[in-house]
Amino acid sequence: MPAGSTFDETMATPEHDRGESKVGRVGLWLIGARGSVATTATTGLAAICAGLAPAVGRVTSQDEFSTIPLPRFSDLVIGGHDISDVSIAKRAEHLVSTGMLPQHLVQAIQAELEDADSRVRPGYFPGAEGVPQAEIARRLAEDIRQFRNGHGLDRVVVIDVSSTEAPIDHLPEFDDLDLLMAALEDPAQEILPP
């Protein structure tokens, strides 16, 4: 902690992070896992789990959530997809240089950031693979399945924290599953947005 700051140790272990997990181990699969938003979340989770930062500002600490079973912070495992090859640790260093993250914290959880980065798989970059989008979708789904099985997770929540995407035009395939599946299997079509 920076000089002059105080830290209440009980804040590092929030109520729902004590005792047995009510929901088991949960994977957080982040689309855009190496971006600034995902890196900030990964850094915060690692810092809370290591007792280096308090778990403040959580919506889940409000009374309305007191009866909802939540995973412990220590039961959350981060993985994801990204098209960037800049590691989470490198992105964190950049966020330190911009004043978004404290250097002492990033240095203290370097191993956790590298561990999270080892669970990031190549994302989808339109046109780069030269195969039908259905095959890409199967590859992406298999990455998530391997993440779940490889880490003994009870469930995986997929969260898109990637860059904002441009609006897309509505296509007839979006309203008809058979048309959509046929378009996805056609390597000449790129029906899904980037």
Side-chain angles (χ1 to χ4, degrees):
M1 298 293 296
S5 65
T6 60
F7 178 67
D8 179 352
E9 289 296 327
T10 62
M11 294 174 75
T13 309
E15 290 284 326
H16 73 268
D17 213 32
R18 297 180 185 135
E20 289 295 314
S21 175
K22 294 177 174 73
V23 297
R25 289 174 48 86
V26 176
L28 300 179
W29 192 261
L30 305 178
I31 308 302
R34 290 179 172 147
S36 296
V37 173
T39 297
T40 302
T42 301
T43 300
L45 177 62
I48 290 167
C49 288
L52 300 172
V56 296
R58 296 172 295 120
V59 171
T60 56
S61 66
Q62 298 175 8
D63 289 340
E64 293 85 357
F65 291 88
S66 64
T67 60
I68 298 173
L70 297 169
R72 298 178 300 184
F73 285 110
S74 58
D75 286 331
L76 298 173
V77 180
I78 293 181
H81 282 122
D82 206 308
I83 60 173
S84 173
D85 59 358
V86 174
S87 73
I88 294 172
K90 267 293 189 212
R91 178 73 62 198
E93 288 175 18
H94 170 73
L95 293 171
V96 166
S97 73
T98 63
M100 296 298 296
L101 291 175
Q103 183 173 11
H104 72 278
L105 190 64
V106 170
Q107 289 174 337
I109 59 164
Q110 187 74 24
E112 290 85 347
L113 297 177
E114 291 170 4
D115 188 41
D117 195 72
S118 73
R119 295 185 293 270
V120 177
R121 300 294 173 260
Y124 165 56
F125 192 78
E129 297 184 43
V131 298
Q133 286 185 320
E135 188 174 322
I136 296 166
R138 286 188 287 270
R139 175 183 63 81
L140 298 175
E142 182 60 24
D143 289 342
I144 297 170
R145 203 171 1 268
Q146 287 179 8
F147 173 66
R148 184 192 66 218
N149 296 340
H151 295 283
L153 303 172
D154 296 291
R155 67 189 69 201
V156 175
V157 178
V158 178
I159 306 168
D160 186 350
V161 291
S162 62
S163 300
T164 303
E165 299 170 358
I168 59 169
D169 294 327
H170 185 80
L171 300 172
E173 289 84 353
F174 298 160
D175 297 321
D176 184 313
L177 183 58
D178 292 331
L179 287 176
L180 178 62
M181 296 308 290
L184 290 174
E185 293 293 352
D186 182 352
Q189 291 194 49
E190 286 194 1
I191 196 80
L192 297 179

